[in-house]
Amino acid sequence: MDQRRSGAGHGQNVGLLGRAPECAVLDEMLAAVRMGESRVLVVHGAPGVGKSALLEYAESSATGMRVLRAVGVESEMELVFATLHQLCAPLLDRLENLPSPQREALETVFGTRAGAPPERFLVGLAVLSLLSDASEGGPLLCVVDDAQWMDRASAQVLGFVARRLLAESVAMVFGSRQRSQDLLGLTELEVTGLRDSDARALLDSVTHARLDQHIRDRFVAETKGNPLALLELPRGLTMTQMAGGLGLLNADTLPGRIEQSFRDRIADLPEQTRLLLLIAAAEPTGDPALVWPAAERLGAIPETGLENGTDGLLVFGARVIFRHPLVRSAVYGSAREEDRRAVHLALAEVTDATTDPDRRAWHLASAAAGPDEAVAAELERSAGRAQARGGLAATAAFLQRSLALTTDTSRRAERALSAADASLRAGDLDTARKLVDIADRDAQSEFQRVLAHLVRSHITFAAGFNNEAPPMLLTAAQRLEPFDMDLARETYLIAWASASYGAANRDSLMAISRAARELPSPEGSPRALDLVLEGYALLITDGRSAALPTLRRAMTALTDAPLQDLLKWIWAAGGSAGLLWEDRIMAEWPIRAVDEVRTAGALSALPIYLHALGLPIVLSGEFTSAAALVAQSEAVAAATGVPMTQHTKLLLTALQGKEAEASTLIAATIEEAGASGQLNGVASAQWAAAVLYNGLARYEQALPAAQATTQSANLLVSQWALPELVEAAARVGDDTAAHGALEDLADSAEPCDTDWAQGILARCRALLSDATAADDLYREAIERLGRTLLRPELARAHLLYGEWLRRDRQRVEGRAHLRTAYEMFLSIGMEAFAERARRELQATGETIRRKRKNDASTSEELTPQEQQIALLVRDGLSNPEVAARLFVSPRTVEWHLRKIFVKLGISSRTQLRDTLSRGGYESAPQ
């Protein structure tokens, strides 16, 4: 539409009639980008309100900037990365500048390279790097119009990129009819109708006769100042209707009125012209090389069809462009069904089956008058190609359409299962449930019915940890046994893990474990997951001593397993190292997994492994690294939308003794996790509370928190809470609770001949022993824990020994251990425990001034992200490597690094290494 007018509004050239404020926002955005900043804007409003005109204004105002443009097309929403390819196509010659994993990811999704489907977040990081690289040559403006019709894969990637832009001289502007889920949280500009005075002026510009004021006001009011309505609706009315105010009385919604106006104009066109418009409407790319051959197949002669023009509805040039998306929908919607099918068939016939097989398959599907097995098979192949490019939503859409066209009843259940699984992986649980129902109804065999039950169980599990998932998974595993024993065992392990981590109780764990114990031995050598399942089942049914040999074999098998198996099962099997009190293996597995996940670009899985890495880092006392890892996890969660567990942050703040922060986080976690049935989160929060209050010497508060944790179905957290329960109960004089917890701890630790297990057990036994035994036990605890990675546990052993010695009137030796504990707590950052040690030292007669851990002396404190970047740079990573870790561009890393240098008063990476080393920072988590 043409709203442009010079000199309108406040005596200045605003470019668009009545849009001075909106144009000012766009002008400010472009000015900021020219100054080296990034800007993102989502322009949204009703159809015809002027969004496209504003985007055109931005393009025309982007002097000195390179402009990239894409348009979402409704009929292309199922073609994976279609919009992204439009936007990035002019930059593909710069792919060689990207790191290999990112370059390969884009080559795969754009179909120029064969390979495993890349993570969409790796694709997003690649696009971010590509735009950043392109902006090195000058500011960049990326425009995406009709964003509501982007394919889901493109929407997710561009939403990811938009949130990570900071210092790249890149502007991204989206035009959308409504707020898109993938663009929520970005800066918005809502476009509404024109003010009455501007609306009247625009209406006057397209009416040849002077309207009565009341009639004109009615037009303005009923169109709500919508520019397209003001320009279009008068064209469909006679002068009599205009003068009488008729024509709007029987209209429906405003977009419907406008579309009906377009339909009326289309109906007045010659038949050949209407056919050309229909072909153009059905061909989403606007490519004349497809439109003209299709027209020829249908007997349409372009010269005849365009002889008298198209009444301004369509422009045939280098691209075929409709005046407005409503014109396209009006053309397509007003055509007869048989004409639409004929047009799609012609377009399928002229679309290259080699270079564009998916669009051809979609045209064939639209041309089908009813079920068609050949087309269904073609759509199934398209689904495979979409899956190979990482397009989960597109995979699901192709499979759903394939199912609708299936004539072979033996294939319906199979395709419904595939479509349900794809929909599940795409996050569309409601559709997945409906498809599973179809699969169950049309199943041709018991095995297909069992697989349907399995997918339904996974849907329930994906909906959140709850009481329903474990028994459903158990039933699925039992039903799978006659058909696929390997799959049955995998399902048993998922059921066991879901019961342990979720809302189920120990009765559910027992039922699953007993059923797993009844399984026959695997044929041949057992897989690592087979051993894990057997060990877990034995742990519940027969106890730790019986399970220990199998769990040790499982741990060895996992250590030696192919990395892909470790990545697949570490979420369920990774707890075995902790259950065996193996501190070094517990740290080694996630380090290996995190490195591989980063290398492979499996970024959506990264939060799981960062959490698995975070706990051993916290337990080892490397709090600076742990804090950086927590911040990195939060950045990943924000970038990917993958929920982040709070376990690492809970334990870190509790051990640090930050009462206000820890108490708030503990209370929030208990409330949120409890409401969603994730009792694993509740248990972790209660464990953190027990640690916090023991550090603060508020044992009466630590006791109930520890007791609640030890009753959790999560065996790992309940095991680690036992030492807290022994200490709290001993200090408040609850001998029954203390000895009961010690007995449970002995059952857990005694069979495990590791320094961690035996050191913790000796320390807890010392708390409840007489003088002679206590002294020997404390010394054993210190010796054994000194051989572990667990500095906080060693410091706590020194503290408890020092407290015991003071009470036993051995003040001199007690001072030595208390001083050791105090210095260790300070160096680690355990301020509450350090204060507890300081008070004990004072009680021995030693005066000691409160001290705090010596963080690097800086004139200003580094933000968490700056600290991450500083640590990674200090450890030798380049800007691109740091950018890949933190999901930002190298230019953003450089921007932060300049701020870090200013805050630290330095000017080089060498000085950064020296400064942070003097400040006592540990290595950044790699």
Side-chain angles (χ1 to χ4, degrees):
M1 81 198 71
D2 186 7
Q3 286 178 246
R4 299 181 183 278
R5 190 181 76 178
S6 297
H10 309 294
Q12 59 181 343
N13 184 351
V14 299
L16 290 172
L17 175 62
R19 296 300 187 196
E22 291 86 349
C23 291
V25 171
L26 294 169
D27 290 339
E28 186 279 329
M29 175 191 74
L30 297 175
V33 172
R34 290 190 181 98
M35 296 296 292
E37 300 177 26
S38 292
R39 287 288 189 273
V40 176
L41 187 64
V42 180
V43 180
H44 65 88
V49 80
K51 302 181 299 297
S52 296
L54 286 168
L55 267 56
E56 291 170 9
Y57 171 85
E59 291 183 54
S60 66
S61 302
T63 53
M65 302 176 68
R66 184 174 186 178
V67 178
L68 304 176
R69 181 175 177 82
V71 180
V73 180
E74 188 173 14
S75 57
E76 290 219 310
M77 292 180 70
E78 313 304 344
L79 299 181
V80 61
F81 294 115
T83 307
L84 186 69
H85 191 271
Q86 282 187 59
L87 190 72
C88 294
L91 303 180
L92 295 185
D93 60 338
R94 308 185 74 95
L95 285 181
E96 61 184 16
N97 299 338
L98 302 186
S100 296
Q102 297 179 25
R103 181 183 68 250
E104 292 168 3
L106 285 184
E107 289 172 344
T108 301
V109 301
F110 292 153
T112 61
R113 172 192 179 90
E119 279 270 346
R120 69 177 184 273
F121 302 114
L122 179 60
V123 177
L125 191 57
V127 173
L128 177 63
S129 298
L130 186 65
L131 296 180
S132 177
D133 180 73
S135 70
E136 295 284 352
L140 201 62
L141 172 63
C142 302
V143 176
V144 181
D145 203 357
D146 287 325
Q148 74 276 359
W149 288 332
M150 287 191 289
D151 62 278
R152 185 68 195 283
S154 295
Q156 290 173 332
V157 166
L158 291 177
F160 173 96
V161 172
R163 291 178 178 86
R164 312 310 295 167
L165 289 168
L166 179 62
E168 289 77 21
S169 294
V170 174
M172 295 190 78
V173 188
F174 300 90
S176 182
R177 291 186 182 179
Q178 62 269 337
R179 296 172 176 86
S180 165
Q181 175 186 346
D182 296 297
L183 303 180
L184 290 179
L186 301 176
T187 304
E188 296 181 352
L189 174 63
E190 182 177 9
V191 184
T192 57
L194 296 173
R195 293 179 303 176
D196 287 354
S197 58
D198 294 316
R200 293 188 196 102
L202 187 61
L203 180 60
D204 288 345
S205 71
V206 294
T207 53
H208 303 295
R210 184 173 181 82
L211 294 177
D212 179 270
Q213 179 179 342
H214 297 295
I215 300 302
R216 184 176 62 176
D217 289 346
R218 182 181 177 189
F219 260 87
V220 169
E222 294 209 21
T223 60
K224 298 179 181 178
N226 184 292
L228 181 61
L230 290 165
L231 291 169
E232 178 60 29
L233 292 182
R235 299 185 60 166
L237 302 177
T238 66
M239 293 304 297
T240 302
Q241 289 174 318
M242 286 287 294
L246 304 175
L248 296 179
L249 295 175
N250 298 320
D252 193 4
T253 63
L254 187 58
R257 297 173 184 176
I258 300 171
E259 186 169 329
Q260 184 59 50
S261 173
F262 287 137
R263 289 186 180 216
D264 293 341
R265 290 168 63 186
I266 293 163
D268 291 336
L269 295 174
E271 181 179 355
Q272 291 268 305
T273 308
R274 292 200 306 272
L275 179 56
L276 285 175
L277 262 63
L278 179 57
I279 296 169
E283 202 298 295
T285 65
D287 186 355
L290 294 173
V291 173
W292 301 135
E296 183 179 345
R297 283 179 176 267
L298 294 170
I301 303 171
E303 293 77 8
T304 302
L306 299 178
E307 183 177 5
N308 296 314
T310 63
D311 194 18
L313 298 174
L314 187 69
V315 175
F316 283 95
R319 310 297 292 177
V320 180
I321 301 173
F322 283 94
R323 181 186 179 198
H324 191 275
L326 287 176
V327 177
R328 181 192 292 272
S329 61
V331 169
Y332 196 82
S334 61
R336 296 180 303 171
E337 178 64 30
E338 56 268 32
D339 291 338
R340 288 199 293 262
R341 290 200 301 270
V343 163
H344 280 294
L345 181 59
L347 286 167
E349 291 170 344
V350 301
T351 300
D352 193 307
T354 302
T355 60
D356 205 355
D358 300 334
R359 188 172 283 109
R360 178 178 179 274
W362 204 255
H363 280 309
L364 287 172
S366 299
D372 188 317
E373 186 59 36
V375 177
E378 191 63 44
L379 288 165
E380 199 170 27
R381 287 188 284 273
S382 290
R385 286 187 289 269
Q387 185 173 358
R389 294 196 296 274
L392 296 178
T395 302
F398 278 119
L399 288 171
Q400 291 167 26
R401 186 68 174 128
S402 173
L403 174 65
L405 296 179
T406 298
T407 58
D408 186 347
T409 55
S410 66
R411 299 297 308 277
R412 280 187 59 78
E414 179 184 340
R415 284 175 176 157
L417 279 172
S418 297
D421 184 62
S423 300
L424 167 62
R425 289 183 290 112
D428 188 353
L429 302 188
D430 289 338
T431 299
R433 289 188 186 96
K434 295 174 184 176
L435 291 164
V436 163
D437 290 341
I438 294 172
D440 201 9
R441 183 197 67 202
D442 293 345
Q444 300 292 299
S445 66
E446 177 62 17
F447 185 40
Q448 285 186 332
R449 281 186 283 274
V450 172
L451 290 177
H453 180 81
L454 177 62
V455 174
R456 185 177 283 111
S457 302
H458 283 300
I459 294 168
T460 303
F461 185 36
F465 291 116
N466 52 66
N467 282 318
E468 295 179 31
M472 287 183 67
L473 287 162
L474 170 59
T475 301
Q478 291 171 323
R479 294 177 65 185
L480 279 167
E481 289 181 32
F483 304 103
D484 189 332
M485 191 59 76
D486 284 347
L487 182 57
R489 288 192 176 89
E490 293 175 11
T491 306
Y492 272 117
L493 182 56
I494 296 171
W496 196 98
S498 72
S500 175
Y501 294 155
N505 55 35
R506 292 194 177 185
D507 291 340
S508 182
L509 269 179
M510 179 62 77
I512 295 166
S513 299
R514 283 175 175 164
R517 291 280 290 114
E518 297 298 322
L519 292 172
S521 299
E523 296 180 5
S525 299
R527 299 170 295 172
L529 72 91
D530 296 329
L531 293 170
V532 171
L533 174 62
E534 182 183 352
Y536 280 171
L538 280 167
L539 189 66
I540 300 300
T541 60
D542 293 41
R544 193 171 302 265
S545 294
L548 190 62
T550 304
L551 283 174
R552 280 182 174 154
R553 287 176 61 203
M555 195 165 54
T556 301
L558 278 170
T559 301
D560 298 334
L563 197 53
Q564 198 59 37
D565 288 350
L566 182 64
L567 292 176
K568 182 177 180 180
W569 293 108
I570 193 173
W571 74 273
S576 58
L579 289 170
L580 295 179
W581 302 88
E582 290 281 359
D583 57 308
R584 283 182 168 78
I585 294 177
M586 190 174 72
E588 289 169 1
W589 282 351
I591 289 173
R592 183 182 172 206
V594 166
D595 285 344
E596 181 64 20
V597 166
R598 283 187 173 126
T599 300
L603 306 185
S604 63
L606 189 54
I608 298 172
Y609 305 114
L610 288 176
H611 163 62
L613 178 59
L615 283 178
I617 287 178
V618 173
L619 291 171
S620 68
E622 296 181 6
F623 286 0
T624 304
S625 294
L629 188 142
V630 167
Q632 185 177 344
S633 299
E634 290 174 343
V636 175
T640 63
V642 176
M644 185 192 73
T645 59
Q646 297 285 357
H647 308 314
T648 301
K649 191 173 185 178
L650 282 163
L651 183 59
L652 175 61
T653 55
L655 283 170
Q656 288 173 318
K658 297 179 177 180
E659 183 180 3
E661 180 182 346
S663 297
T664 300
L665 183 60
I666 288 166
T669 302
I670 290 174
E671 181 180 356
E672 293 170 11
S676 60
Q678 298 189 40
L679 299 190
N680 182 42
V682 174
S684 292
Q686 290 167 331
W687 173 37
V691 172
L692 173 68
Y693 293 125
N694 273 336
L696 293 167
R698 302 218 296 260
Y699 307 110
E700 68 286 349
Q701 291 175 268
L703 179 60
Q707 287 174 319
T709 310
T710 58
Q711 299 305 309
S712 165
N714 187 315
L715 300 185
L716 196 57
V717 173
S718 62
Q719 167 183 291
W720 287 345
L722 287 169
E724 306 301 333
L725 178 52
V726 172
E727 184 172 339
R731 289 296 189 238
V732 301
D734 188 340
D735 290 343
T736 301
H739 283 281
L742 180 60
E743 185 177 339
D744 290 340
L745 180 62
D747 289 341
S748 169
E750 271 186 340
C752 305
D753 188 20
T754 68
D755 286 319
W756 182 10
Q758 298 304 319
I760 290 291
L761 183 58
R763 191 182 79 192
C764 290
R765 280 176 169 160
L767 273 167
L768 303 177
S769 297
D770 58 28
T772 303
D775 192 80
D776 290 340
L777 287 167
Y778 277 127
R779 290 180 184 276
E780 180 187 354
I782 289 170
E783 179 184 354
R784 284 186 174 274
L785 291 172
R787 293 197 291 263
T788 71
L789 302 174
L790 313 172
R791 289 195 302 147
E793 300 293 359
L794 175 60
R796 292 180 68 175
H798 280 291
L799 173 63
L800 289 175
Y801 190 24
E803 290 176 337
W804 179 82
L805 288 168
R806 184 187 72 78
R807 288 163 176 74
D808 199 46
R809 300 182 184 279
Q810 301 181 56
R811 291 192 174 186
V812 174
E813 190 173 355
R815 269 191 212 121
H817 285 282
L818 289 170
R819 194 179 301 112
T820 298
Y822 179 63
E823 295 296 338
M824 287 185 70
F825 288 139
L826 281 179
S827 68
I828 295 170
M830 299 172 65
E831 294 185 7
F833 280 99
E835 176 60 16
R836 182 173 145 188
R838 190 190 70 81
R839 291 196 302 267
E840 286 290 326
L841 277 170
Q842 283 185 320
T844 67
E846 180 170 331
T847 303
I848 187 164
R849 183 171 59 87
R850 284 188 176 90
K851 295 189 295 184
R852 298 178 65 85
K853 180 182 176 183
N854 176 33
D855 293 329
S857 57
T858 66
S859 56
E860 295 183 62
E861 181 140 1
L862 299 181
T863 66
Q865 186 167 39
E866 288 169 351
Q867 188 176 94
Q868 291 180 76
I869 291 171
L871 287 170
L872 292 169
V873 170
R874 190 277 311 271
D875 290 345
L877 274 68
S878 66
N879 285 5
E881 290 170 330
V882 174
R885 293 286 175 88
L886 302 182
F887 313 104
V888 295
S889 73
R891 289 184 67 175
T892 293
V893 173
E894 181 62 33
W895 183 79
H896 279 297
L897 203 53
R898 288 196 296 268
K899 295 172 65 178
I900 292 167
F901 284 177
V902 171
K903 288 184 177 183
L904 298 182
I906 59 177
S907 59
S908 71
R909 290 174 180 247
T910 300
Q911 290 177 314
L912 179 66
R913 285 193 290 272
D914 293 342
T915 300
L916 295 188
S917 296
R918 288 196 306 273
Y921 284 82
E922 307 98 0
S923 293
Q926 298 296 310

